[in-house]
């Protein structure tokens, strides 16, 4: 197991929500790249992650699709439940001071049938705000195109053209290399 210069491994959690498998594929690519970097992440669906103590991790990934340009209801509920907990504990402070060594990455999938990437950036910003309020550094917000399963027209005639089969291997390879780059950056900074 790789350890950083402080003698600790980069303790990592990957949380995601996925109804039709696109975001799950991206979570799988994140996990694969982490393992290749010598990190064994905990990987949880949102429904399994309610009891997770986010501050126990150095690096937290949170993934969700865009549903009407916001995170889906179960993801909103998760964020609200966590916000309530951390407000009650006094973790959400004026000016949201950084908590040393805490990093988050948000990854979002979308089909962009109407206005393209603008349909998903609010999801990334929303989830990013959650982590910034907790004092995490949001190192990246990744937006990955995903087929609109069950809605052929929205996967062929939308702003992004023919997106059937996405995220494809190329999309997932990009995610993997982005993860590797991030881990190298975090290790060189520690
Ligand atoms: C109810 C619903 C609402 C959606 N709304 C949007 C949207 O507003 N913008 C968008 O780009 N994609 C939208 N999509 C498409 C999904 O974001 C996209 O297919 C995503 O990759 C699905 O992820 P999943 O397979 O992990 O569930 C929507 C899909 C569903 C089922």
């Amino acid at each position: 197991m790789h350890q950083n210069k402080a003698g600790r491994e980069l303790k990592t959690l990957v949380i995601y929500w996925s109804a039709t498998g696109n975001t799950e594929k991206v979570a799988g690519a994140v996990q694969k790249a982490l393992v290749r970097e010598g990190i064994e992440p905990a990987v949880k669906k949102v429904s399994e992650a309610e009891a997770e103590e986010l501050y126990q991790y150095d690096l937290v990934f949170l993934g969700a699709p865009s549903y009407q340009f916001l995170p889906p209801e179960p993801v909103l509920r998760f964020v609200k439940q966590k916000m309530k907990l951390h407000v009650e504990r006094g973790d959400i402070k004026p000016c949201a001071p950084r908590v040393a060594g805490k990093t988050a990455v948000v990854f979002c999938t979308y089909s962009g049938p109407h206005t393209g990437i603008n349909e998903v950036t609010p999801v990334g910003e929303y989830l990013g705000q959650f982590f910034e309020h907790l004092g995490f550094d949001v190192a990246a917000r990744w937006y990955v195109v995903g087929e609109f399963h069950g809605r052929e027209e929205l996967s062929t005639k939308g702003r992004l053209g023919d997106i059937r089969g996405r995220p494809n291997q190329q999309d997932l390879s990009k995610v993997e290399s982005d993860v590797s780059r991030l881990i190298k950056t975090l290790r060189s900074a520690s």
Side-chain angles (χ1 to χ4, degrees), residues 2 4-5 181-190:
H2 181 97
N4 66 19
K5 285 180 195 154
R181 196 171 314 113
L182 172 75
I183 297 304
K184 286 179 178 69
T185 304
L186 291 177
R187 281 175 173 158
S188 65
S190 68

Side-chain angles (χ1 to χ4, degrees), residues 79-129:
V79 169
K80 285 175 186 167
Q81 176 242 329
K82 287 286 176 207
M83 282 295 292
K84 185 169 181 286
L85 174 83
H86 290 293
V87 166
E88 282 166 7
R89 285 187 184 169
D91 297 328
I92 313 281
K93 302 189 176 81
C95 297
R98 282 282 319 281
V99 179
K102 301 296 168 194
T103 304
V105 173
V106 168
F107 59 95
C108 312
T109 68
Y110 72 111
S111 303
H114 304 105
T115 62
I117 194 160
N118 294 342
E119 299 190 48
V120 70
T121 49
V123 182
E125 293 303 323
Y126 182 90
L127 298 179
Q129 274 310 294

Side-chain angles (χ1 to χ4, degrees), residues 5-16:
K5 285 180 195 154
R8 289 182 304 118
E9 68 174 279
L10 216 45
K11 199 172 173 207
T12 303
L13 173 64
V14 180
I15 306 172
Y16 70 95

Side-chain angles (χ1 to χ4, degrees), residues 163-178:
I163 58 166
R164 288 173 295 182
R166 295 185 71 181
N168 56 27
Q169 198 43 57
Q170 199 180 335
D171 298 317
L172 298 175
S173 296
K174 172 151 189 348
V175 171
E176 287 174 36
S177 57
D178 287 345

Side-chain angles (χ1 to χ4, degrees), residues 148-163:
F148 206 133
H149 293 280
R151 299 288 300 275
E152 174 98 355
E153 196 181 72
L154 298 183
S155 295
T156 55
K157 293 188 165 47
R159 235 346 129 90
L160 305 179
D162 189 345
I163 58 166

